[in-house]
């Protein structure tokens, strides 16, 4: 690893502060652009889907750049770099069904969270209105959710946070879990928190086993693409509704899928990768 082209950086409280500082700087920059558009061009850019897409990209890029220049290059003398190598076809046959199984399990657990009541009802209505605004432009939503989000979020949560914690001596399973919980929390609502946290564990496991950030990016994009297809082509928000079956059946199918392919990927797939 000492001769690797990939820097062996760590992620600790200082790294967390640097990422947060990058987030603040990016948010302030986006806010200034939005205000400039409102006063100079009399246009409310902040409500435009394309502006939200660009804003997300700016914030993520500044977070990554801040960690690169203030943490990685200062500590290792190398620039932030990741392994994006493809893998053998057999591994793809294992990880995508495993991901789909966890998507089904996550959907069932999410369906148990209330969407009505004095707290959950108002919160869910706000969340639904927010999502409705994001889906106004299908092209922008697909670009944002299926391409940009998987790239930026996997770099930050798996590439920087998870890998950095493992480099810092944290046990792999703890690093995967912590990165997944943080990934769930940034979604800002209990319904997406459950699914994002569960799916994050699969993404983290795949990254840890293969050492290639390409694979969790592809899985992340696959998950978001499935959600986009459900919304745009079936007008439904869940597999159970789209297939007109009970949620408990989705749980059973998901549990079987995940268990079988998790076992095959973790214990029977002998291919291991390393960063060189």
């Amino acid at each position: 690893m000492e001769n690797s082209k990939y820097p062996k950086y760590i992620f600790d409280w200082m790294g967390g502060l640097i990422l947060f500082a990058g987030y603040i700087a990016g948010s302030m920059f986006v806010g200034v652009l939005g205000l400039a558009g409102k006063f100079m061009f009399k246009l409310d850019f902040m409500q435009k889907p394309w502006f939200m897409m660009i804003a997300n990209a700016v914030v993520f890029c500044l977070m990554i750049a801040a960690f690169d220049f203030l943490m990685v290059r200062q500590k290792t003398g190398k620039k932030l770099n990741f392994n994006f190598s493809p893998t053998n076809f057999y591994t793809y046959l294992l990880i995508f069904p495993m991901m789909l199984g966890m998507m089904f399990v996550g959907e069932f657990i999410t369906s148990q969270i209330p969407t009505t009541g004095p707290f959950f009802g108002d919160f869910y209505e706000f969340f639904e209105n927010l999502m409705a605004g994001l889906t106004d432009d299908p092209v922008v939503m697909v670009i944002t959710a299926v391409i940009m989000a998987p790239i930026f979020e996997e770099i930050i949560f798996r590439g920087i946070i998870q890998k950095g914690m493992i480099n810092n001596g944290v046990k792999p399973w703890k690093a995967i879990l912590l990165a997944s919980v943080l990934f769930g929390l940034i979604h800002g609502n209990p319904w997406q928190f459950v699914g994002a946290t569960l799916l994050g564990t699969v993404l983290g496991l795949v990254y840890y086993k293969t050492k290639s950030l390409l694979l969790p990016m592809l899985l992340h994009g696959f998950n978001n693409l499935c959600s986009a297809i459900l919304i745009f082509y079936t007008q439904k928000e869940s597999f159970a509704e789209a297939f007109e079956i009970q949620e408990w059946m989705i749980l059973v199918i998901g549990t079987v899928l995940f268990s079988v392919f998790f076992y095959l990927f973790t214990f029977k797939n002998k291919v291991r990768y390393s960063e060189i």
Side-chain angles (χ1 to χ4, degrees):
M1 181 65 73
E2 286 74 13
N3 297 321
S4 172
K5 64 181 179 180
Y6 303 106
K8 191 173 182 180
Y9 51 85
I10 65 170
F11 183 82
D12 53 12
W13 65 270
M14 181 59 71
L17 287 178
I18 290 173
L19 281 183
F20 183 69
Y23 171 79
I24 295 299
S27 299
M28 292 177 63
F29 179 72
V30 168
V32 170
L33 287 180
L35 290 174
K38 183 173 292 187
F39 287 108
M40 294 176 63
F41 303 103
K42 308 301 180 182
L43 295 174
D44 190 1
F45 290 155
M46 303 292 282
Q47 303 302 317
K48 303 294 183 181
W50 61 266
F51 183 82
M52 297 176 68
M53 177 183 70
I54 296 174
N56 283 332
V58 169
V59 171
F60 279 127
C61 284
L62 285 178
M63 292 174 68
I64 295 168
F67 189 83
D68 181 19
F69 285 95
L70 300 179
M71 190 75 176
V72 178
R73 301 192 189 205
Q74 295 296 320
K75 299 292 185 180
T76 69
K78 299 178 181 180
K79 66 179 181 179
L80 188 63
N81 192 16
F82 301 102
N83 177 14
F84 295 104
S85 301
T87 186
N88 60 304
F89 185 68
Y90 177 68
T91 300
Y92 293 109
L93 293 179
L94 299 180
I95 61 176
F96 278 91
M98 179 172 65
M99 185 68 169
L100 184 61
M102 185 58 87
M103 288 163 59
F104 287 169
V105 172
E107 176 182 309
F108 172 81
I109 298 176
T110 301
S111 69
Q112 308 308 303
I113 302 175
T115 57
T116 58
F119 171 74
F120 284 103
D122 293 339
F123 194 5
Y124 188 73
E125 182 178 355
F126 170 79
F127 169 62
E128 285 283 271
N129 292 334
L130 178 63
M131 292 302 296
L134 295 176
T135 58
D136 284 343
D137 190 326
V139 175
V140 170
M141 180 186 176
V142 170
I143 294 174
T144 302
V146 181
I147 300 175
M148 290 174 51
I151 293 175
F152 289 126
E153 292 177 3
E154 291 312 303
I155 288 176
I156 291 176
F157 289 96
R158 253 58 64 179
I160 291 178
I161 297 177
Q162 177 181 308
K163 180 183 176 182
M165 285 193 291
I166 293 175
N167 288 342
N168 200 26
V170 178
K171 292 183 179 180
W173 71 268
K174 287 184 179 180
I176 292 171
L177 181 60
L178 287 171
S180 299
V181 171
L182 290 174
F183 179 55
L185 287 173
I186 61 110
H187 286 78
N189 64 83
W191 300 278
Q192 286 185 309
F193 168 79
V194 173
T197 300
L198 292 175
L199 296 175
T201 61
V202 176
L203 299 172
L205 172 66
V206 170
Y207 182 47
Y208 174 68
K209 296 284 282 187
T210 66
K211 302 298 186 291
S212 172
L213 202 56
L214 173 65
L215 274 65
M217 285 180 176
L218 293 176
L219 290 175
H220 194 152
F222 168 70
N223 171 74
N224 292 359
L225 178 61
C226 289
S227 298
I229 291 174
L230 283 175
I231 293 172
F232 291 126
Y233 291 99
T234 71
Q235 307 301 314
K236 306 294 183 182
E237 296 184 0
S238 71
F239 290 102
E241 291 178 336
F243 297 141
E244 298 183 348
I245 59 178
Q246 298 295 317
E247 285 288 357
W248 68 266
M249 295 180 66
I250 286 291
L251 174 63
V252 172
I253 296 170
T255 302
V256 172
L257 266 179
F258 175 76
S259 300
V260 170
F261 287 95
F262 171 81
Y263 173 76
L264 293 175
F265 174 71
T266 306
F267 300 105
K268 293 300 182 179
N269 186 24
K270 302 300 183 182
V271 180
R272 298 293 183 269
Y273 301 89
S274 62
E275 294 182 338
I276 57 175

